[in-house]
Amino acid sequence: MAFETIVVETQGHVGLITLDRPESLNALNASLLGEMATALAKFEADETIGAIVITGSEKAFAAGADIKEMAERTYPGTMLDDFMGGPWEAVSRCRKPVIAAVAGYALGGGCEVALACDIIIAADTARFGLPEITLGVIPGAGGTQRLTRAVGKAKAMEMILSGRFMTAEEAERACLVSRVVPEGDLMDEVMSLAAKIADMSGVAVMVAKKTVERAHEASLSEGLEYERTAFYSLFSTEDQKEGMAAFVEKRKAQFRNR
Ligand code: DAK
């Protein structure tokens, strides 16, 4: 399938989506969001894909929703056509792991796309921010909730109320990103992490992802109960037998997602 605003590739068992609207710093317009949702759905359905990476350019992961496209919108129109509602949720709907490889600006909706990913790896050039307040609005794709859960109330309030950007170093200290790497190493590091994850049992990875997500939604006792049930369930898989046999036999496991 031909895309106009993203580049879609497969490297081994990893699906790679590169946002590609350089003239507007990868601003997320309706076409790009629609294409990204289509590509994610395609990778979700592809049995050979075990992990997905979303990235942008050296200058910008994405500088937010497309302000030029959004500027003339009205409240009734926004309500009536569910203003791009579905595609904004495409990342968080993904059951396979999604990694954001962020260099340059990740602002507004761009930051929210990264926040919806399971892991963010940042280049040392990355800048994160939710500057919607400077436009007279607020984050609308999960930013007020996910940033607050990631970095805590004080820092989230400061960023959301003032529009201040965070450096990569600050984002790592605040636990917004899992790792910061030199810009030149970003894609090698991310693709090698994604390949490693894609090499695991796809069933165990999916269950692990769902179980970690539970930590945000449930009380500790409910989360622990969910984890225990999920853990037991994995003893019904061939991959559990293979993984443990491979350890005992001192060889690399060959998972078949069964
Ligand atoms: N939209 C449209 N065009 C953008 C853009 C954006 N978000 N960001 C940059 N551009 C364009 C610029 O207009 C410029 O285009 P030309 O003027 O050359 O035609 C080109 O990209 C290069 O940008 P600059 O010349 O400004 O580059 P600088 O290096 O000087 O500055 C910057 C880079 C990233 C600091 C600056 O461009 C900037 O402040 N950009 C806007 C950042 C921003 O405010 N982002 C938040 C947007 S609001 C929703 C959910 C979520 C949202 C919406 C709906 N629903 C669920 C419905 C999200 C809203 C947002 O993200």
Side-chain angles (χ1 to χ4, degrees):
M1 179 179 290
F3 294 104
E4 288 175 3
T5 59
I6 59 175
V7 176
V8 177
E9 299 159 71
T10 301
Q11 291 186 18
H13 299 294
V14 178
L16 173 61
I17 299 173
T18 305
L19 311 184
D20 189 29
R21 292 189 73 215
E23 70 287 356
S24 61
L25 304 183
N26 293 331
L28 306 166
N29 65 1
S31 308
L32 188 150
L33 286 162
E35 290 189 352
M36 186 170 73
T38 302
L40 285 167
K42 192 165 153 277
F43 285 142
E44 275 274 274
D46 184 341
E47 274 186 10
T48 67
I49 295 297
I52 301 165
V53 173
I54 302 178
T55 194
S57 67
E58 275 176 29
K59 179 144 191 210
F61 178 75
D66 192 315
I67 300 168
K68 294 163 191 166
E69 193 181 73
M70 202 167 37
E72 297 305 321
R73 292 202 73 93
T74 63
Y75 175 64
T78 304
M79 284 298 286
L80 288 172
D81 66 7
D82 189 22
F83 177 31
M84 302 193 272
W88 281 102
E89 285 159 15
V91 176
S92 58
R93 275 200 310 265
C94 244
R95 293 158 72 233
K96 292 181 180 173
V98 186
I99 305 174
V102 177
Y105 296 111
L107 303 179
C111 185
E112 290 173 305
V113 167
L115 283 165
C117 293
D118 301 305
I119 302 171
I120 305 175
I121 307 279
D124 46 12
T125 59
R127 295 287 177 277
F128 297 89
L130 292 174
E132 286 88 341
I133 201 81
T134 67
L135 302 168
V137 291
I138 66 166
T144 60
Q145 306 304 302
R146 291 200 178 97
L147 184 72
T148 307
R149 281 169 162 78
V151 307
K153 178 182 159 190
K155 212 174 254 296
M157 277 288 188
E158 188 200 336
M159 288 179 69
I160 291 168
L161 300 188
S162 73
R164 180 175 79 79
F165 300 169
M166 220 190 243
T167 62
E169 190 196 333
E170 184 182 359
E172 186 179 30
R173 264 189 278 125
C175 300
L176 177 61
V177 308
S178 74
R179 211 149 28 102
V180 178
V181 300
E183 206 269 324
D185 298 343
L186 179 66
M187 289 318 291
D188 284 350
E189 292 279 350
V190 172
M191 292 309 283
S192 113
L193 172 65
K196 188 168 187 180
I197 294 171
D199 214 21
M200 305 295 174
S201 161
V203 193
V205 166
M206 216 171 257
V207 172
K209 170 171 163 157
K210 275 174 76 79
T211 309
V212 174
E213 282 169 349
R214 270 286 154 140
H216 274 318
E217 310 285 345
S219 67
L220 179 61
S221 59
E222 286 162 345
L224 290 172
E225 184 58 34
Y226 186 89
E227 180 194 77
R228 197 167 304 121
T229 309
F231 177 72
Y232 294 158
S233 74
L234 288 169
F235 283 83
S236 65
T237 66
E238 289 177 21
D239 284 347
Q240 173 268 327
K241 303 284 173 297
E242 166 62 10
M244 295 192 182
F247 176 82
V248 173
E249 293 159 20
K250 299 187 187 298
R251 61 175 174 79
K252 186 174 170 1
Q254 299 293 329
F255 293 118
R256 297 173 53 238
N257 300 335
R258 297 277 184 275

